[in-house]
């Protein structure tokens, strides 16, 4: 499992294969009546768009850190394991990557209440529609799932920001 995770972390091709396989399966489930050739074409188009977006983000992150995609993957692994590098160049690259990621999380945090509020409104609307139609099973399951997802987002965001702030302060401390 570790090698698969490393392969997905470092290889854009591996990510494309995984996205294509999952997309093809979902397309087959939701469009059973369609021709399998259209499934493949539609999935290939979506995969190309997603991989294009991922490639641009990887290049932007690599430029911010001053290293390539493999270096960014290695720095992210070290951040997750709270390993502070000894090499001054690696410390500088980690410092730049932490600043970029922390800034992105803080900028995204401004919109987070609006996104979560929108999700809550959709869940509340589904509950109202379910009450009007007499079927509350799906709306209640969706509302509980939405609440669980919102809690998970808040928890993971808080953990990530604490980790990034701790690592930033650890990089500032002289050894």
């Amino acid at each position: 499992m570790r090698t698969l995770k490393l392969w997905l972390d470092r290889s854009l091709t591996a990510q494309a294969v995984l996205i294509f396989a999952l997309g093809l399966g979902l397309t087959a489930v939701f469009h059973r009546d369609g021709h399998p050739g259209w499934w493949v074409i539609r999935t290939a188009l979506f995969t190309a768009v997603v991989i294009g977006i991922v490639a641009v983000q990887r290049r932007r992150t690599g430029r911010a850190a001053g290293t390539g995609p493999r270096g960014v993957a290695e720095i992210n692994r070290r951040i997750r394991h709270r390993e502070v590098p000894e090499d001054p160049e690696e410390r500088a690259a980690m410092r730049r990557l932490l600043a970029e990621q922390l800034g992105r999380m803080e900028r995204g945090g401004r919109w987070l209440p609006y996104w979560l509020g929108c999700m809550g409104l959709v869940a509340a609307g589904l509950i109202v529609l379910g009450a009007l139609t007499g079927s509350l099973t799906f709306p209640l399951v969706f509302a509980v799932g939405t609440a669980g997802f919102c809690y998970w987002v808040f928890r993971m965001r808080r953990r990530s920001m604490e980790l990034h702030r701790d690592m930033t302060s650890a990089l500032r401390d002289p050894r």
Side-chain angles (χ1 to χ4, degrees), residues 85-102:
E86 297 293 328
D87 183 32
E89 289 180 17
E90 289 178 9
R91 289 174 71 94
M94 185 181 279
R95 194 175 297 116
R96 287 189 301 266
L97 184 63
L98 282 167
E100 195 267 333
Q101 288 177 346
L102 193 58

Side-chain angles (χ1 to χ4, degrees), residues 33-45:
D33 56 344
H35 190 274
W38 286 113
W39 298 348
V40 173
I41 291 171
R42 177 180 286 168
T43 304
L45 178 67

Side-chain angles (χ1 to χ4, degrees), residues 139-159:
L140 288 176
V141 168
F142 183 79
V144 168
T146 301
F149 179 72
C150 292
Y151 171 74
W152 178 79
V153 167
F154 274 125
R155 186 171 154 249
M156 293 307 294
R157 183 175 186 277
R158 187 178 64 233
R159 276 184 59 201

Side-chain angles (χ1 to χ4, degrees), residues 72-93:
V72 170
E74 180 61 26
I75 292 172
N76 278 326
R77 185 195 64 76
R78 285 182 166 197
I79 290 170
R80 282 190 307 269
H81 292 274
R82 297 180 186 265
E83 297 174 4
V84 178
E86 297 293 328
D87 183 32
E89 289 180 17
E90 289 178 9
R91 289 174 71 94

Side-chain angles (χ1 to χ4, degrees), residues 104-165:
R104 194 176 337 142
M105 281 190 277
E106 287 171 351
R107 284 189 304 273
R110 285 184 254 167
W111 289 99
L112 187 64
Y114 300 110
W115 283 108
L116 297 178
C118 180
M119 289 172 61
L121 285 175
V122 168
L126 279 176
I127 290 174
V128 169
L129 287 175
L132 292 176
T133 61
S135 173
L136 280 175
T137 305
F138 175 72
L140 288 176
V141 168
F142 183 79
V144 168
T146 301
F149 179 72
C150 292
Y151 171 74
W152 178 79
V153 167
F154 274 125
R155 186 171 154 249
M156 293 307 294
R157 183 175 186 277
R158 187 178 64 233
R159 276 184 59 201
S160 294
M161 291 189 74
E162 286 174 3
L163 173 66
H164 281 68
R165 287 183 180 132

